[in-house]
Amino acid sequence: MKTPFYNKLAYIGLYLAILCLLSVLAFHFPEYLSNPQLRDVYDVNQLRLILLSSLYLAFGMGLIALIFSRKKGLALATVLVAAAATVLGGSAVEVQIPIQQKPIYLSLDLIILDLLFMSLLFVPLERIFYLRRQRFLREGLAIDLSHYALNHLLMGGVFVLIVWPGNWIHQHIFQDRVPHLTQQMPLWLQVLGILFIADFAQYWIHRSFHKRPRWWQFHKIHHSTMKMDWLASSRLHIGDVIITRAFSYIPIVCLGFSQAAVQLYLPIVAVQALFVHSNVRFHFGLLRYILTTPVVHHWHHSSDPKALDKNFAVTFSFIDVMFGTFYAPRVWPETYGLYREKISNSFMKQLVYPFVEQLRKPKA
Ligand SMILES: [Zn+2]
Ligand SMILES: [Zn+2]
């Protein structure tokens, strides 16, 4: 039996125990710590079951690690955090229905569910099919997680800003003038249509973020990552997130796609965005000329001058092929990050950086 295995068990157990503790807090204060739109989608009883199983699992991992692991402190922390989650009510916390939703709230439930499902998918994938061996607690992880936490916790407010321009244009310009042919299409075709239209819009916004100096101050934060993996996708300035998604949403709402299609599209694009950043060695051969695969987006993050301002599409790389911005040789890039530019490694400084730069620089 190898010790490192038990150390990993302690890390995974602690991660799970923290998610459990956060879940219990969200159950206690749903009016402050959960997203009302998301609550309509999930089944609370299923979440209670997942929470209960996760608590057992975290306890079990903590206890095994306590006996066999050398990281006794980490193992003890796992057991204590899981115990705290249980003492605070565990999966049995009563929720007062109806929930008196507060106008200002944090989408903690989104973070917990997203982290749980995405780590279940990507951690094993990157362990088995890794492109480069890198520690999970890698350089820059804290910054990525900070951007991730902020962008997800404020999703309630961010969501309002994302859908507002699209809904306004639809209501004041397009409504009743656009025949809702899209809703009569089969669901799979609508999802495919949204994937293409949103990516087409995203392509031009992304290209603008690279070409316009003022916009670049926001987007260069995404390009400051030196290590690629699924969490590197989270390093996005909140302004970048709002602008990109708002513009991508405009054609979706104006063309009248059904809500069912939009709800199917969202998890697909979320997984795809993480997948193209992930530390996996999938090449996909000639398919990379049609679909954006990890090698295509890894080149987008490369600091190699040949790859600068290339590969803007996130889903369909043929959009890049069409507009002459495709660059993805069969080999993987060797260096990542900004080209001849620097940015602070502090999350707070990155957050204010674009605004400070706007004041400092003359108009472009
Ligand atoms: Zn970019
Ligand atoms: Zn990226």
Side-chain angles (χ1 to χ4, degrees):
M1 298 256 182
K2 287 180 189 169
T3 311
F5 168 78
Y6 296 111
N7 292 346
K8 279 177 200 161
L9 211 62
Y11 278 114
I12 298 168
L14 184 60
Y15 176 68
L16 204 57
I18 291 171
L19 287 185
C20 289
L21 185 61
L22 293 177
S23 308
V24 174
L25 291 177
F27 268 113
H28 274 291
F29 307 105
E31 67 278 28
Y32 291 106
L33 297 177
S34 72
N35 184 310
Q37 285 102 19
L38 199 60
R39 285 204 306 265
D40 291 341
V41 178
Y42 55 64
D43 179 347
V44 176
N45 288 326
Q46 280 182 1
L47 291 192
R48 285 184 190 276
L49 200 62
I50 295 172
L51 174 55
L52 187 64
S53 323
S54 304
L55 269 174
Y56 276 121
L57 210 59
F59 257 127
M61 286 177 174
L63 288 174
I64 293 171
L66 206 54
I67 299 166
F68 296 108
S69 167
R70 283 188 185 166
K71 295 198 177 283
K72 302 286 184 206
L74 203 67
L76 187 63
T78 304
V79 174
L80 289 177
V81 174
T86 309
V87 169
L88 287 171
S91 60
V93 176
E94 293 276 337
V95 176
Q96 292 288 329
I97 303 286
I99 293 166
Q100 303 294 320
Q101 187 64 44
K102 300 294 172 193
I104 295 175
Y105 58 88
L106 297 174
S107 302
L108 188 61
D109 51 348
L110 178 66
I111 287 210
I112 298 162
L113 291 171
D114 197 60
L115 274 181
L116 187 67
F117 289 112
M118 293 306 187
S119 47
L120 273 174
L121 190 62
F122 285 102
V123 171
L125 199 72
E126 290 190 342
R127 298 297 304 177
I128 301 167
F129 303 103
Y130 62 86
L131 171 67
R132 295 180 177 92
R133 268 196 183 280
Q134 60 192 30
R135 294 184 319 134
F136 179 71
L137 300 175
R138 58 156 172 80
E139 172 198 346
L141 184 69
I143 297 178
D144 295 351
L145 280 174
S146 304
H147 282 287
Y148 174 90
L150 184 80
N151 296 349
H152 281 72
L153 280 175
L154 299 184
M155 190 42 78
V158 167
F159 182 76
V160 172
L161 292 173
I162 288 170
V163 297
W164 181 78
N167 287 345
W168 190 92
I169 293 170
H170 179 243
Q171 216 173 358
H172 291 87
I173 302 169
F174 280 89
Q175 206 164 40
D176 301 328
R177 292 187 203 166
V178 178
H180 289 259
L181 290 174
T182 42
Q183 294 203 3
Q184 290 156 18
M185 286 160 41
L187 195 60
W188 66 268
L189 197 58
Q190 285 192 55
V191 175
L192 204 62
I194 298 176
L195 278 168
F196 173 71
I197 286 159
D199 202 35
F200 191 82
Q202 187 278 142
Y203 172 91
W204 289 105
I205 303 305
H206 191 178
R207 200 167 157 161
S208 301
F209 267 112
H210 277 249
K211 297 290 182 186
R212 291 170 175 264
R214 289 194 158 195
W215 290 36
W216 173 244
Q217 305 311 326
F218 285 89
H219 189 60
K220 74 190 275 189
I221 287 152
H222 184 58
H223 283 267
S224 65
T225 188
M226 308 295 283
K227 303 273 181 193
M228 293 293 281
D229 66 11
W230 63 286
L231 276 166
S233 62
S234 319
R235 190 182 293 210
L236 280 164
H237 193 281
I238 194 161
D240 188 342
V241 173
I242 293 169
I243 292 170
T244 304
R245 294 197 188 158
F247 275 99
S248 309
Y249 181 68
I250 291 170
I252 298 174
V253 68
C254 290
L255 290 171
F257 287 101
S258 68
Q259 272 305 309
V262 175
Q263 280 181 2
L264 274 172
Y265 153 79
L266 289 172
I268 295 174
V269 79
V271 171
Q272 166 68 3
L274 268 61
F275 180 60
V276 296
H277 291 88
S278 60
N279 177 29
V280 291
R281 53 180 180 266
F282 301 132
H283 212 285
F284 292 102
L286 292 176
L287 196 65
R288 72 188 192 281
Y289 288 92
I290 299 166
L291 294 176
T292 304
T293 63
V295 75
V296 177
H297 198 70
H298 275 230
W299 275 109
H300 180 68
H301 280 266
S302 169
S303 55
D304 186 327
K306 290 194 288 294
L308 297 179
D309 301 334
K310 297 285 193 293
N311 305 345
F312 298 113
V314 171
T315 312
F316 296 111
S317 56
F318 71 80
I319 302 175
D320 280 294
V321 175
M322 272 163 57
F323 295 106
T325 51
F326 183 82
Y327 182 82
R330 281 192 71 87
V331 289
W332 292 83
E334 286 182 2
T335 53
Y336 298 97
L338 295 162
Y339 177 68
R340 291 183 177 171
E341 283 185 274
K342 281 197 170 146
I343 196 164
S344 168
N345 266 337
S346 144
F347 166 65
M348 288 310 291
K349 282 185 181 166
Q350 288 195 357
L351 216 52
V352 297
Y353 174 82
F355 305 106
V356 173
E357 284 299 297
Q358 311 286 1
L359 295 173
R360 191 184 298 166
K361 287 200 168 178
K363 283 191 176 184

